[in-house]
Amino acid sequence: MADRPHGVVNEREIPWAEQQHGERFEVRRKQLGAAAGGEKLGCSLFEMPPGKKGWPFHYHLANEEALYVLAGSGTLRLGDREVPVGAGDYVALPVGAGHAHQLINTGAETLRYLAFSTMIQPDVMVYPDSDKIGVFAGAAPGGPKEARTFGAFLRNEPVDYWDDEV
């Protein structure tokens, strides 16, 4: 669309980025917030096929997230609960272990939703199912990878403060 000011994008102008892992995880995403030049608030449009999960079960220690379901239905793992969600549902996901979450398309059609996130860095993500952590600095998860100064996924195993120091 011609002559649009900075900060205004249409989802049709943004290509899909597809992500898949094994048989269980599959999602496609348009990073609306990044395309519009957002810095402290991210927003992505997601589509997830039936029977798939978008991401592993996780929670953040710095970034708050929210989901808004546009079409389809699914199940939200939220802590130790499973909550049905569908078109029109909004989910607030504050930081911390009590808000561990994972969205699963348990419906018969594509699950289409918006995901919002603060873009605070550094951030630590905790993955309770696999006992991993993700640590990101320089750019928040979902932020520009070229700005990232550190990013790693690690097993949540203790080491001594002085290990390997000379």
Side-chain angles (χ1 to χ4, degrees):
M1 300 187 164
D3 244 4
R4 296 186 78 165
H6 177 75
V8 179
V9 297
N10 187 287
E11 67 106 349
R12 291 183 305 262
E13 302 167 348
I14 304 166
W16 287 106
E18 298 190 19
Q19 185 168 3
Q20 184 174 358
H21 180 76
E23 295 294 316
R24 298 183 309 173
F25 296 93
E26 183 178 342
V27 71
R28 57 190 214 150
R29 172 186 201 182
K30 291 186 179 202
Q31 288 186 281
L32 303 172
E39 295 177 8
K40 296 187 188 255
L41 181 64
C43 178
S44 291
L45 172 63
F46 284 94
E47 288 187 349
M48 186 188 317
K52 302 295 182 177
K53 301 173 183 179
W55 313 102
F57 186 62
H58 70 284
Y59 61 91
H60 293 260
L61 296 179
N63 283 294
E64 184 167 335
E65 295 180 298
L67 306 173
Y68 181 75
V69 180
L70 299 167
S73 62
T75 299
L76 175 69
R77 279 183 69 193
L78 187 58
D80 60 358
R81 298 184 61 195
E82 292 190 356
V83 180
V85 294
D89 284 335
Y90 177 87
V91 180
L93 300 164
V95 300
H99 303 285
H101 58 277
Q102 178 182 50
L103 188 58
I104 307 161
N105 185 345
T106 53
E109 62 185 74
T110 296
L111 181 58
R112 185 173 167 95
Y113 63 99
L114 292 171
F116 304 90
S117 175
T118 55
M119 299 298 285
I120 298 168
Q121 62 81 31
D123 192 11
V124 175
M125 296 168 296
V126 179
Y127 297 85
D129 289 348
S130 56
D131 201 29
K132 291 184 304 216
I133 60 172
V135 181
F136 293 91
K145 290 183 180 172
E146 64 276 5
R148 192 156 296 141
T149 56
F150 182 83
F153 289 94
L154 311 160
R155 289 280 169 212
N156 189 13
E157 297 175 4
V159 296
D160 186 79
Y161 176 78
W162 295 108
D163 279 3
D164 301 321
E165 297 296 332
V166 291

